[in-house]
């Protein structure tokens, strides 16, 4: 029952936050200086008839809250409006591009989780020179922005060595995975270093705890001590970091998709912002916010399973 109340409360908080975010996303267009109709025309000169048509299409003469609730009602029905740049429904653009972005994010997350956790575990358990090597490597990784990593990897492995495609997202699952390998590594590099360092520090803290000392004094095998008493007790911090990692992936994919011309929603957002295609920008921004909050919600719901004290309200659940 404690977990159920906790889950209901978090769902209600997410719904309220998403509603507030939708208001900000919609209202941002009207904070820009000048006439929104002219802004929607991307600064192009237009006749009074053309301006009137745009104002009628987007209901700009209606009160602000009427426009907002009409837009919100359309969003709930899956209607994100019509792209000014591409002259097609935004929902169609999203349907074509969102799967590519999600596949990239999932692939990068797998790379981060496997390599980051392994490096952190090895550094904490082995210590010595291995620990120092991991620290140096992760420091370099953390200091390398995703866009810089994308350019370096593209120049070396795609252009010079020709091992991977230099651009595009491919066709079919296998081809897509091949095309997205380099972008996923570029996207994951910084976060591998972050997760490895967090895993290492939390495991080292757990290794110095009293219950680990007691377990060792009772003759518990070292492998069981590490897996049950050290790594498991570090999972709440690692899981919380995982939520931040997914959120960062959603943001950084814009730079990586642009560098590799992948054609996902990150690249679409960059192009739509440049051309002032506000219906598309609003839709993508709202989706990114929704995905961000969904990730935080999943992490918050998993944390009580790792540490029941969270569901009881005795620990902070902020992500």
């Amino acid at each position: 029952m404690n977990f159920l109340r906790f889950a209901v409360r978090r769902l209600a908080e997410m719904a309220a936050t998403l509603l507030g975010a939708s208001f900000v996303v919609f209202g941002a267009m009207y904070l820009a200086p000048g006439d929104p109709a002219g802004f929607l025309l991307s600064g192009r000169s237009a006749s009074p008839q053309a301006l009137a048509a745009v104002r009628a299409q987007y209901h700009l003469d209606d009160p602000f809250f009427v426009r907002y609730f009409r837009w919100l009602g359309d969003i709930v029905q899956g209607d994100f409006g019509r792209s000014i740049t591409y002259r097609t429904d935004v929902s169609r653009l999203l349907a074509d591009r969102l799967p590519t972005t999600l596949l990239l994010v999932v692939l990068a997350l797998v790379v981060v989780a496997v390599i980051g956790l392994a490096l952190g575990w090895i550094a904490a358990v082995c210590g010595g020179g291995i620990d120092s090597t991991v620290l140096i490597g992760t420091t370099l990784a953390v200091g390398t922005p995703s866009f810089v990593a994308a350019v370096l990897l593209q120049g070396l492995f795609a252009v010079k060595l020709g091992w991977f495609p230099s651009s595009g997202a491919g066709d079919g699952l296998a081809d897509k995975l091949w095309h997205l390998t380099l972008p996923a590594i570029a996207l994951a590099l910084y976060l591998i270093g972050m997760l490895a360092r967090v895993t290492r520090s939390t495991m080292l803290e757990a290794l110095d705890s009293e219950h680990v000392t007691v377990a060792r004094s009772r003759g518990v095998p070292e492998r069981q001590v590490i897996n049950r008493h050290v790594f498991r007790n570090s999972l709440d911090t690692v899981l919380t970091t995982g939520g931040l990692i997914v959120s960062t992936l959603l943001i950084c994919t814009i730079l990586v998709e642009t560098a590799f011309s992948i054609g996902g929603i990150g690249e679409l957002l960059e192009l739509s912002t440049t051309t002032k295609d506000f219906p598309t920008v609003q839709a993508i921004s709202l989706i990114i916010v929704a995905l961000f909050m969904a990730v935080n919600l999943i992490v918050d719901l998993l944390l009580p399973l790792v540490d029941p004290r969270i569901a009881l309200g005795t620990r902070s659940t902020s992500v």
Side-chain angles (χ1 to χ4, degrees):
M1 290 300 297
N2 287 326
F3 178 78
L4 181 60
R5 286 195 296 268
F6 175 80
V8 171
R9 185 175 73 249
R10 292 297 294 120
L11 284 169
E13 291 173 357
M14 176 182 173
T17 304
L18 186 57
L19 182 62
S22 69
F23 183 81
V24 173
V25 167
F26 179 79
M29 184 180 74
Y30 298 94
L31 294 177
D35 185 5
F39 210 57
L40 287 168
L41 288 170
S42 304
R44 300 188 297 268
S45 58
S47 63
Q49 293 79 8
L51 287 174
V54 170
R55 298 190 69 86
Q57 179 182 357
Y58 292 94
H59 308 283
L60 295 179
D61 292 324
D62 293 340
F64 174 81
F65 283 100
V66 172
R67 297 195 300 269
Y68 167 68
F69 284 112
R70 180 185 291 113
W71 174 79
L72 188 62
D74 290 340
I75 293 293
V76 172
Q77 299 176 46
D79 182 5
F80 291 91
R82 188 170 178 83
S83 169
I84 299 172
T85 302
Y86 296 93
R87 307 293 182 181
T88 187
D89 291 339
V90 176
S91 56
R92 179 175 298 178
L93 291 174
L94 296 177
D96 292 339
R97 294 172 178 259
L98 184 58
T100 299
T101 296
L102 293 180
L103 181 59
L104 173 61
V105 170
V106 170
L107 186 58
L109 181 61
V110 171
V111 173
V112 172
V114 172
I115 300 179
L117 289 175
L119 288 177
W121 193 95
I122 291 171
V125 173
C126 296
I130 295 178
D131 184 25
S132 300
T133 302
V134 171
L135 282 177
I136 293 174
T138 54
T139 300
L140 292 174
V142 169
T144 306
S146 297
F147 185 79
V148 174
V151 173
L152 294 176
L153 291 173
Q154 191 178 43
L156 177 60
F157 293 103
V159 177
K160 186 174 183 180
L161 298 177
W163 292 356
F164 294 94
S166 61
S167 62
D171 298 313
L173 180 59
D175 194 35
K176 280 183 177 291
L177 291 175
W178 183 246
H179 276 76
L180 295 179
T181 298
L182 274 187
I185 294 174
L187 194 58
L189 188 61
Y190 161 78
L191 297 168
I192 287 173
M194 184 175 74
L195 181 60
R197 295 172 75 91
V198 169
T199 303
R200 172 188 175 274
S201 62
T202 53
M203 288 187 65
L204 287 177
E205 183 179 352
L207 281 168
D208 292 333
S209 62
E210 183 178 350
H211 71 276
V212 171
T213 303
V214 172
R216 283 172 170 168
S217 66
R218 291 179 176 177
V220 177
E222 186 65 16
R223 180 183 294 273
Q224 187 174 340
V225 170
I226 297 298
N227 292 333
R228 272 187 158 185
H229 300 278
V230 177
F231 184 70
R232 185 174 179 179
N233 285 336
S234 305
L235 281 180
D236 55 346
T237 303
V238 171
L239 188 59
T240 301
T241 305
L244 295 174
I245 285 174
V246 177
S247 303
T248 304
L249 288 174
L250 292 172
I251 297 172
C252 292
T253 185
I254 299 173
L255 301 175
V256 174
E257 285 186 11
T258 302
F260 285 92
S261 300
I262 291 174
I265 63 168
E267 184 182 8
L268 178 62
L269 177 61
E270 191 272 335
L271 293 173
S272 299
T273 302
T274 302
T275 58
K276 300 177 182 177
D277 188 352
F278 263 86
T280 306
V281 172
Q282 288 174 329
I284 296 176
S285 300
L286 188 60
I287 287 177
I288 291 177
V289 171
L291 290 174
F292 180 89
M293 291 193 299
V295 169
N296 281 350
L297 177 64
I298 292 172
V299 171
D300 283 348
L301 294 180
L302 288 177
L303 281 174
L305 303 179
V306 177
D307 187 347
R309 293 175 297 172
I310 295 176
L312 295 175
T314 57
R315 291 196 56 181
S316 173
T317 61
S318 59
V319 177

